[in-house]
Amino acid sequence: MKIKFLGTGSGQTSLNRFHSSFLISSSEHNLLVDCGDGISKAILKQNVNFNSIDSILISHFHADHFSGLPSLLTQMKLLSRKNDLTIFVHSSEKDFLEDFIFHSYLFKERITFDLKMISFDVEIEIKVSEKFCFVSKLNSHLDKYKKYDSEYKLGFTSLSFYFKDDENSVIYSGDVGSENDLYLFDQKVDWFITETTHIKKENVLELLEKSDPKEIILTHIGDDFAKPLNEFRQSLPNHIKSRIILAFDGFELNQYHSGCL
Ligand SMILES: [Zn+2]
């Protein structure tokens, strides 16, 4: 498995980092996780071929995680994409996403490729390709919107994920409501990718101790938080520091990487 970080910024638009997104490559399948505002430029900047992306998974519907989708689909159309593209979306958001794409004038008959929408539910294993799968769990990031959700029956969902292939295992926190959401999965993984906007620096150390992943990768880093986060990491003893990575746009994880930056 290889993971390339296309964006590592927070919800605040920045000139230093694109919004959070990464590409998981496994078993000859490339899965894009999240596609917020500016994703098409982030992909170009990292020299990734738009049409090498086989599928897209969306963690939740804040603008920094999904709103670049119409632009991305348009780039694929302009490049006369022929391969099918799959979008994995939670079942409660499928109708909205289909409408969103339709209202972006991306009509199925007028694009050059087959766009498949696969809906899934939490806690059910979804096979992405032969040896590559994920499971999602509901986190509390959107609990603050419960009032609107129950009034309009919209089924808002913010998800955390566990990914696995025949080489590696990964947890991605998605955007969380609090540090408690870091412990939704019991699995011990190679890489724990966590956002840093809705947790404290100290929570990272607790996570390392309690969940014991090989490495923790910090992302969703706001401009104001980048310096204190880096200073915090630098202050740690070497054996801990070497297991905590501050991701940056273009950072790549693979089974051979050294872990130290
Ligand atoms: Zn976010």
Side-chain angles (χ1 to χ4, degrees), residues 136-153:
S136 63
K137 288 202 182 191
L138 199 60
N139 67 41
S140 67
H141 181 56
L142 302 180
D143 281 6
K144 56 200 168 196
Y145 304 146
K146 260 189 179 142
K147 182 182 131 191
Y148 311 100
D149 196 12
S150 51
E151 191 174 342
Y152 299 106
K153 306 254 180 302

PDB file of all heavy atoms in Angstrom, residues 136-153:
ATOM      1  N   SER A 136     -16.276   1.642   7.756  1.00  0.00           N
ATOM      2  CA  SER A 136     -16.467   2.989   8.296  1.00  0.00           C
ATOM      3  C   SER A 136     -17.218   2.923   9.625  1.00  0.00           C
ATOM      4  O   SER A 136     -17.953   1.964   9.883  1.00  0.00           O
ATOM      5  CB  SER A 136     -17.257   3.843   7.302  1.00  0.00           C
ATOM      6  OG  SER A 136     -18.542   3.294   7.120  1.00  0.00           O
ATOM      7  N   LYS A 137     -17.003   3.938  10.432  1.00  0.00           N
ATOM      8  CA  LYS A 137     -17.787   4.094  11.668  1.00  0.00           C
ATOM      9  C   LYS A 137     -18.187   5.557  11.792  1.00  0.00           C
ATOM     10  O   LYS A 137     -17.449   6.449  11.353  1.00  0.00           O
ATOM     11  CB  LYS A 137     -16.966   3.671  12.894  1.00  0.00           C
ATOM     12  CG  LYS A 137     -16.765   2.174  12.962  1.00  0.00           C
ATOM     13  CD  LYS A 137     -16.443   1.716  14.369  1.00  0.00           C
ATOM     14  CE  LYS A 137     -16.203   0.210  14.387  1.00  0.00           C
ATOM     15  NZ  LYS A 137     -16.151  -0.341  15.720  1.00  0.00           N
ATOM     16  N   LEU A 138     -19.328   5.762  12.394  1.00  0.00           N
ATOM     17  CA  LEU A 138     -19.856   7.098  12.585  1.00  0.00           C
ATOM     18  C   LEU A 138     -19.096   7.782  13.727  1.00  0.00           C
ATOM     19  O   LEU A 138     -18.929   7.202  14.793  1.00  0.00           O
ATOM     20  CB  LEU A 138     -21.332   6.971  12.954  1.00  0.00           C
ATOM     21  CG  LEU A 138     -22.227   8.174  12.793  1.00  0.00           C
ATOM     22  CD1 LEU A 138     -22.261   8.652  11.339  1.00  0.00           C
ATOM     23  CD2 LEU A 138     -23.642   7.825  13.271  1.00  0.00           C
ATOM     24  N   ASN A 139     -18.605   9.002  13.487  1.00  0.00           N
ATOM     25  CA  ASN A 139     -18.000   9.756  14.590  1.00  0.00           C
ATOM     26  C   ASN A 139     -18.876  10.955  14.963  1.00  0.00           C
ATOM     27  O   ASN A 139     -19.947  11.152  14.375  1.00  0.00           O
ATOM     28  CB  ASN A 139     -16.548  10.143  14.257  1.00  0.00           C
ATOM     29  CG  ASN A 139     -16.462  11.150  13.122  1.00  0.00           C
ATOM     30  OD1 ASN A 139     -17.255  12.097  13.050  1.00  0.00           O
ATOM     31  ND2 ASN A 139     -15.507  10.954  12.220  1.00  0.00           N
ATOM     32  N   SER A 140     -18.433  11.738  15.921  1.00  0.00           N
ATOM     33  CA  SER A 140     -19.323  12.777  16.492  1.00  0.00           C
ATOM     34  C   SER A 140     -19.080  14.178  15.918  1.00  0.00           C
ATOM     35  O   SER A 140     -19.561  15.158  16.465  1.00  0.00           O
ATOM     36  CB  SER A 140     -19.160  12.793  18.021  1.00  0.00           C
ATOM     37  OG  SER A 140     -17.856  13.240  18.355  1.00  0.00           O
ATOM     38  N   HIS A 141     -18.334  14.259  14.804  1.00  0.00           N
ATOM     39  CA  HIS A 141     -17.968  15.574  14.255  1.00  0.00           C
ATOM     40  C   HIS A 141     -19.191  16.448  13.941  1.00  0.00           C
ATOM     41  O   HIS A 141     -19.140  17.669  14.086  1.00  0.00           O
ATOM     42  CB  HIS A 141     -17.135  15.345  12.977  1.00  0.00           C
ATOM     43  CG  HIS A 141     -16.664  16.589  12.315  1.00  0.00           C
ATOM     44  ND1 HIS A 141     -15.912  17.552  12.966  1.00  0.00           N
ATOM     45  CD2 HIS A 141     -16.830  17.056  11.049  1.00  0.00           C
ATOM     46  CE1 HIS A 141     -15.635  18.528  12.138  1.00  0.00           C
ATOM     47  NE2 HIS A 141     -16.181  18.266  10.968  1.00  0.00           N
ATOM     48  N   LEU A 142     -20.278  15.818  13.508  1.00  0.00           N
ATOM     49  CA  LEU A 142     -21.448  16.602  13.098  1.00  0.00           C
ATOM     50  C   LEU A 142     -22.550  16.642  14.163  1.00  0.00           C
ATOM     51  O   LEU A 142     -23.658  17.105  13.882  1.00  0.00           O
ATOM     52  CB  LEU A 142     -22.023  16.041  11.780  1.00  0.00           C
ATOM     53  CG  LEU A 142     -21.055  16.014  10.593  1.00  0.00           C
ATOM     54  CD1 LEU A 142     -21.737  15.438   9.360  1.00  0.00           C
ATOM     55  CD2 LEU A 142     -20.516  17.405  10.270  1.00  0.00           C
ATOM     56  N   ASP A 143     -22.223  16.177  15.353  1.00  0.00           N
ATOM     57  CA  ASP A 143     -23.250  16.188  16.426  1.00  0.00           C
ATOM     58  C   ASP A 143     -23.792  17.598  16.650  1.00  0.00           C
ATOM     59  O   ASP A 143     -24.954  17.775  17.033  1.00  0.00           O
ATOM     60  CB  ASP A 143     -22.671  15.640  17.743  1.00  0.00           C
ATOM     61  CG  ASP A 143     -22.611  14.120  17.718  1.00  0.00           C
ATOM     62  OD1 ASP A 143     -22.913  13.529  16.658  1.00  0.00           O
ATOM     63  OD2 ASP A 143     -22.236  13.517  18.739  1.00  0.00           O
ATOM     64  N   LYS A 144     -22.975  18.594  16.396  1.00  0.00           N
ATOM     65  CA  LYS A 144     -23.398  19.994  16.599  1.00  0.00           C
ATOM     66  C   LYS A 144     -24.543  20.394  15.652  1.00  0.00           C
ATOM     67  O   LYS A 144     -25.193  21.412  15.861  1.00  0.00           O
ATOM     68  CB  LYS A 144     -22.198  20.926  16.412  1.00  0.00           C
ATOM     69  CG  LYS A 144     -21.501  20.774  15.068  1.00  0.00           C
ATOM     70  CD  LYS A 144     -20.071  21.315  15.087  1.00  0.00           C
ATOM     71  CE  LYS A 144     -19.332  20.867  13.838  1.00  0.00           C
ATOM     72  NZ  LYS A 144     -17.894  21.011  13.914  1.00  0.00           N
ATOM     73  N   TYR A 145     -24.764  19.600  14.621  1.00  0.00           N
ATOM     74  CA  TYR A 145     -25.838  19.922  13.655  1.00  0.00           C
ATOM     75  C   TYR A 145     -27.087  19.072  13.871  1.00  0.00           C
ATOM     76  O   TYR A 145     -27.975  19.058  13.022  1.00  0.00           O
ATOM     77  CB  TYR A 145     -25.368  19.701  12.215  1.00  0.00           C
ATOM     78  CG  TYR A 145     -24.130  20.453  11.822  1.00  0.00           C
ATOM     79  CD1 TYR A 145     -23.229  19.896  10.922  1.00  0.00           C
ATOM     80  CD2 TYR A 145     -23.859  21.726  12.315  1.00  0.00           C
ATOM     81  CE1 TYR A 145     -22.085  20.579  10.536  1.00  0.00           C
ATOM     82  CE2 TYR A 145     -22.720  22.410  11.954  1.00  0.00           C
ATOM     83  CZ  TYR A 145     -21.829  21.824  11.059  1.00  0.00           C
ATOM     84  OH  TYR A 145     -20.708  22.491  10.684  1.00  0.00           O
ATOM     85  N   LYS A 146     -27.143  18.357  14.991  1.00  0.00           N
ATOM     86  CA  LYS A 146     -28.255  17.424  15.220  1.00  0.00           C
ATOM     87  C   LYS A 146     -29.614  18.102  15.059  1.00  0.00           C
ATOM     88  O   LYS A 146     -30.553  17.527  14.524  1.00  0.00           O
ATOM     89  CB  LYS A 146     -28.145  16.820  16.622  1.00  0.00           C
ATOM     90  CG  LYS A 146     -27.529  15.435  16.566  1.00  0.00           C
ATOM     91  CD  LYS A 146     -27.584  14.709  17.890  1.00  0.00           C
ATOM     92  CE  LYS A 146     -26.961  13.334  17.716  1.00  0.00           C
ATOM     93  NZ  LYS A 146     -26.176  12.939  18.872  1.00  0.00           N
ATOM     94  N   LYS A 147     -29.706  19.349  15.530  1.00  0.00           N
ATOM     95  CA  LYS A 147     -30.950  20.111  15.466  1.00  0.00           C
ATOM     96  C   LYS A 147     -31.474  20.161  14.013  1.00  0.00           C
ATOM     97  O   LYS A 147     -32.642  19.903  13.745  1.00  0.00           O
ATOM     98  CB  LYS A 147     -30.665  21.527  15.977  1.00  0.00           C
ATOM     99  CG  LYS A 147     -31.844  22.434  16.012  1.00  0.00           C
ATOM    100  CD  LYS A 147     -31.436  23.818  16.493  1.00  0.00           C
ATOM    101  CE  LYS A 147     -32.006  24.823  15.522  1.00  0.00           C
ATOM    102  NZ  LYS A 147     -31.509  26.149  15.678  1.00  0.00           N
ATOM    103  N   TYR A 148     -30.587  20.459  13.070  1.00  0.00           N
ATOM    104  CA  TYR A 148     -30.996  20.577  11.664  1.00  0.00           C
ATOM    105  C   TYR A 148     -31.267  19.198  11.066  1.00  0.00           C
ATOM    106  O   TYR A 148     -32.175  18.996  10.285  1.00  0.00           O
ATOM    107  CB  TYR A 148     -29.907  21.284  10.851  1.00  0.00           C
ATOM    108  CG  TYR A 148     -29.425  22.546  11.498  1.00  0.00           C
ATOM    109  CD1 TYR A 148     -28.241  22.559  12.226  1.00  0.00           C
ATOM    110  CD2 TYR A 148     -30.167  23.720  11.409  1.00  0.00           C
ATOM    111  CE1 TYR A 148     -27.800  23.709  12.851  1.00  0.00           C
ATOM    112  CE2 TYR A 148     -29.731  24.882  12.037  1.00  0.00           C
ATOM    113  CZ  TYR A 148     -28.546  24.866  12.756  1.00  0.00           C
ATOM    114  OH  TYR A 148     -28.124  26.003  13.382  1.00  0.00           O
ATOM    115  N   ASP A 149     -30.410  18.264  11.479  1.00  0.00           N
ATOM    116  CA  ASP A 149     -30.512  16.913  10.937  1.00  0.00           C
ATOM    117  C   ASP A 149     -31.858  16.281  11.298  1.00  0.00           C
ATOM    118  O   ASP A 149     -32.551  15.711  10.456  1.00  0.00           O
ATOM    119  CB  ASP A 149     -29.355  16.062  11.490  1.00  0.00           C
ATOM    120  CG  ASP A 149     -29.155  14.794  10.702  1.00  0.00           C
ATOM    121  OD1 ASP A 149     -29.743  14.690   9.616  1.00  0.00           O
ATOM    122  OD2 ASP A 149     -28.424  13.920  11.170  1.00  0.00           O
ATOM    123  N   SER A 150     -32.263  16.431  12.568  1.00  0.00           N
ATOM    124  CA  SER A 150     -33.522  15.791  12.967  1.00  0.00           C
ATOM    125  C   SER A 150     -34.721  16.555  12.409  1.00  0.00           C
ATOM    126  O   SER A 150     -35.737  15.966  12.061  1.00  0.00           O
ATOM    127  CB  SER A 150     -33.605  15.660  14.480  1.00  0.00           C
ATOM    128  OG  SER A 150     -33.343  16.890  15.071  1.00  0.00           O
ATOM    129  N   GLU A 151     -34.602  17.863  12.275  1.00  0.00           N
ATOM    130  CA  GLU A 151     -35.715  18.665  11.755  1.00  0.00           C
ATOM    131  C   GLU A 151     -35.991  18.328  10.291  1.00  0.00           C
ATOM    132  O   GLU A 151     -37.128  18.183   9.877  1.00  0.00           O
ATOM    133  CB  GLU A 151     -35.368  20.147  11.919  1.00  0.00           C
ATOM    134  CG  GLU A 151     -36.552  21.062  11.663  1.00  0.00           C
ATOM    135  CD  GLU A 151     -36.205  22.522  11.978  1.00  0.00           C
ATOM    136  OE1 GLU A 151     -35.227  22.788  12.688  1.00  0.00           O
ATOM    137  OE2 GLU A 151     -36.941  23.382  11.468  1.00  0.00           O
ATOM    138  N   TYR A 152     -34.931  18.177   9.514  1.00  0.00           N
ATOM    139  CA  TYR A 152     -35.109  17.960   8.072  1.00  0.00           C
ATOM    140  C   TYR A 152     -34.858  16.521   7.645  1.00  0.00           C
ATOM    141  O   TYR A 152     -34.898  16.206   6.459  1.00  0.00           O
ATOM    142  CB  TYR A 152     -34.208  18.918   7.283  1.00  0.00           C
ATOM    143  CG  TYR A 152     -34.525  20.367   7.551  1.00  0.00           C
ATOM    144  CD1 TYR A 152     -33.686  21.147   8.331  1.00  0.00           C
ATOM    145  CD2 TYR A 152     -35.690  20.943   7.054  1.00  0.00           C
ATOM    146  CE1 TYR A 152     -33.987  22.488   8.598  1.00  0.00           C
ATOM    147  CE2 TYR A 152     -35.992  22.272   7.313  1.00  0.00           C
ATOM    148  CZ  TYR A 152     -35.151  23.035   8.086  1.00  0.00           C
ATOM    149  OH  TYR A 152     -35.455  24.341   8.355  1.00  0.00           O
ATOM    150  N   LYS A 153     -34.530  15.645   8.593  1.00  0.00           N
ATOM    151  CA  LYS A 153     -34.268  14.216   8.300  1.00  0.00           C
ATOM    152  C   LYS A 153     -33.250  14.049   7.163  1.00  0.00           C
ATOM    153  O   LYS A 153     -33.506  13.403   6.170  1.00  0.00           O
ATOM    154  CB  LYS A 153     -35.576  13.502   7.918  1.00  0.00           C
ATOM    155  CG  LYS A 153     -36.704  13.655   8.936  1.00  0.00           C
ATOM    156  CD  LYS A 153     -36.911  12.353   9.710  1.00  0.00           C
ATOM    157  CE  LYS A 153     -38.003  12.421  10.743  1.00  0.00           C
ATOM    158  NZ  LYS A 153     -37.877  13.443  11.782  1.00  0.00           N
TER     159      LYS A 153
END
